[in-house]
Amino acid sequence: MGVIASLDERDVSVEAGESVTCSVRLHNTGHTVDTFTLDVLGEAADWASVQPSSVNVFPGDDAVAVLTFAPPRSAEVPCGKKAFALRVMAQEDTDGSVIEEGSVEVGGYADLAAEIVPRTARGARRARTKLAVDNYGNGPVTVQFTGKDESGDVDFVFKPVQTVVEGGTTQLIPVRMRMRKRFLTGQPKTLPVEISLTASDGSKLDAAGVVIQPPMLPRWLPRALTFAIAGLILLAVLVPTIFNDAPKSKATSGGVADPSGGAQSPPGTGETPPPGAPQQDPAAPAGQNQPAAQGGGGGSPVKPPASDPEKPPAPGSPAKPPASDPEKPPAPGSPAKPPASDPEKPPAPSPPKPPAPGPAEPTAENIRIEGTSIAGSGGFTTRRRTVQAGQTIKIGEVVLDNPQGSVGTLEIRKNDTKLLERDLSKLTHERVRFSTEISFKAGDEIVVAVRCTSSSGTCKPVALFPAKVTTA
């Protein structure tokens, strides 16, 4: 014995936020008055109710209760069919309790919201942002996206162009914007943009944002270029001055230092004549600048030897013109022969001979010898100046320079006799005075010997000798 329960409708439909009812009939099959307690189980239990929840039924009688389903308008109650069960429990006859099952179809709805995140995008050529789409409804909705701007200078790209947003979820849609017009310099431009969202149910939403388009070139670039150009010009002016380690000595520029610390200008152009060239004194009278022949006395010019008419001319010597025939007329076009001297005429007086010159005065000369040695060659490499015949050179000091900072050994020699030795690694510019004036006669050699021990390259020290040259 017990109770029989029957639902008027086992399947009902209801929209979220609304309510629907159905009846349940209870029949007491027992022999005593019984109290029946009703409650709802299943997915719809949270938003379903039954009235009355407890009813007394006489034996053989019926009673009616009402079920009410009121799902809230919230994403917490997804749309779709929700199963429920009505449990009827008898107080007197507990074994006679029954359960009736049914379902409730909850309708779906969409509640959309859209926002550009971030609202401000920035880019000279392209800009990126995202569209946040929120579905506060309980069912999925299909949405499409379009973009526009007032100026028409922005192209929009959506990936994807269409998507489905489930109820109670949020989706971020990437948005790419490309600028149609660009500019190099100037103030940034502000471009208002708007993204429209169209749902499958026909509803539309608009989300507004801003795109800031800066110039292609940054604002600080012109000023930076100005400072860079000014710096380059300054470096071009200062670098040669800072890194020029050439010695600034009067001796190296061609002057001869005197004991008082001053400088005398060398005769002529200051260039060192090649070995074997005669030394000239610009203050000497004409005729004294010619070098005296070896074995001549007093510096007088040497008379050329008379030619032997029977001896043939030496090879390479100019041919002697033939004697002219007095009876033979001159050839046409030849220069006229001067008339022969008259033997009866007295000879014309010859000009007086100049007096024989006295001893030659010494002249100042800067003798510059640049030593050269290849790194790793081993021994000394020499450069020399040989004193010519009839010359005497006196040297009291030497100026040494090592402009390249070479590493090795430098020696100053007279013939094979070493006068001075210096370590090139410790030499930059030095003036060395000899204790006594050194004299070089004809045939002697002023030698600059260099041995290079640099790791690479060539050693090129320079020796400058302020000298007094006397020509006999």
Side-chain angles (χ1 to χ4, degrees), residues 432-455:
V432 181
R433 297 181 183 274
F434 298 110
S435 58
T436 58
E437 199 172 46
I438 302 173
S439 178
F440 294 82
K441 296 183 180 181
D444 289 340
E445 292 180 332
I446 306 173
V447 182
V448 175
V450 180
R451 180 172 58 194
C452 186
T453 59
S454 298
S455 59

Side-chain angles (χ1 to χ4, degrees), residues 5-10 12 20-26 38 50-51 63-69 84 86 100:
S6 59
L7 293 171
D8 292 344
E9 295 182 64
R10 290 186 176 275
V12 294
V20 64
T21 60
C22 68
S23 300
V24 57
R25 185 176 296 275
L26 303 176
L38 296 83
V50 59
Q51 292 293 335
V64 177
V66 178
L67 287 172
T68 302
F69 300 97
F84 72 90
L86 176 64
E100 289 294 317

Side-chain angles (χ1 to χ4, degrees), residues 415-432:
N415 299 327
D416 294 331
T417 304
K418 182 168 65 175
L419 304 177
L420 180 66
E421 180 180 355
R422 285 293 184 269
D423 184 359
L424 289 177
S425 62
K426 300 178 181 179
L427 175 65
T428 302
H429 175 78
E430 182 181 4
R431 181 186 295 269
V432 181

Side-chain angles (χ1 to χ4, degrees), residues 243-247 252 368 370-371 400-406 424 427-429 458-463:
F243 293 98
N244 184 14
D245 58 354
T252 59
R368 185 177 184 274
E370 180 178 347
L400 303 177
D401 282 310
N402 186 15
Q404 295 183 346
S406 304
L424 289 177
L427 175 65
T428 302
H429 175 78
T458 303
C459 300
K460 291 186 177 181
V462 178

Side-chain angles (χ1 to χ4, degrees), residues 257-402:
D258 58 10
S260 61
Q264 299 177 358
S265 298
T269 60
E271 297 181 354
T272 305
Q279 307 298 323
Q280 297 183 358
D281 186 358
Q288 294 185 12
N289 291 331
Q290 301 297 330
Q294 188 172 2
S300 60
V302 179
K303 182 178 179 181
S307 59
D308 189 355
E310 297 180 1
K311 189 176 180 181
S317 62
K320 180 179 180 183
S324 60
D325 190 354
E327 297 181 359
K328 189 175 181 182
S334 61
K337 182 179 180 182
S341 60
D342 191 355
E344 297 182 356
K345 255 186 182 182
S350 60
K353 294 182 179 180
E361 294 292 333
T363 59
E365 178 183 348
N366 285 333
I367 299 175
R368 185 177 184 274
I369 302 177
E370 180 178 347
T372 303
S373 177
I374 301 176
S377 59
F380 282 92
T381 302
T382 60
R383 291 288 181 90
R384 58 193 68 211
R385 164 75 178 271
T386 303
V387 182
Q388 302 297 316
Q391 284 186 345
T392 301
I393 298 177
K394 294 184 178 181
I395 296 175
E397 62 180 352
V398 62
V399 179
L400 303 177
D401 282 310
N402 186 15

